[in-house]
Amino acid sequence: MQQSQGGHQVVVLDNGAGNIKLGFEGEANPRLVFPNCTAKPKGERQLYVADALLEARELGGMVVRRPHDRGFMVNYDLERDIWQKGFASLAAAAAGQLPGMGSGPGGGSSSSSR
């Protein structure tokens, strides 16, 4: 993973109407590709947002909401919620590869040897 000038990593977002692709500058492929929508099974409270929809067991009978209609963004609040979930998932996926973010020895472990 490359560091841009100033030591910050640049996040790249391809906000398609059907799928969102998220990754980092300089990488050949996106780290995450997921549907740009939310879905809720009829009669249930559980809501699947962004990449969580990929883990759903049964897609039939779900009410799907998309922030885009005919190529235009029509629901900015829904899009913001999807972006937040996507960025959180990207941060979690990259946590093991960023310096100081690991949970092992030397990477922020709460245990120490004395």
Side-chain angles (χ1 to χ4, degrees):
M1 185 180 331
Q2 290 180 319
Q3 296 283 325
S4 67
Q5 191 173 13
H8 299 286
Q9 183 61 41
V10 176
V11 174
V12 178
L13 167 73
D14 178 359
N15 191 60
N19 287 312
I20 290 180
K21 298 174 190 165
L22 273 172
F24 292 101
E25 172 189 30
E27 294 182 345
N29 296 312
R31 295 234 180 153
L32 298 173
V33 178
F34 53 87
N36 192 1
C37 64
T38 63
K40 182 178 169 285
K42 289 181 183 177
E44 294 184 27
R45 298 189 87 136
Q46 184 173 7
L47 178 68
Y48 296 96
V49 179
D51 58 336
L53 187 58
L54 300 173
E55 299 169 6
R57 287 185 247 157
E58 183 66 38
L59 297 177
M62 286 197 179
V63 177
V64 176
R65 293 180 54 213
R66 294 187 174 274
H68 292 86
D69 184 30
R70 297 181 200 124
F72 295 98
M73 188 182 307
V74 295
N75 190 334
Y76 293 97
D77 293 332
L78 181 60
E79 188 69 82
R80 183 194 64 233
D81 294 343
I82 295 168
W83 287 347
Q84 286 177 342
K85 175 67 167 93
F87 287 133
S89 295
L90 180 64
Q97 298 178 356
L98 297 175
M101 298 286 289
S103 60
S109 176
S110 61
S111 64
S112 61
S113 58
R114 294 181 191 215

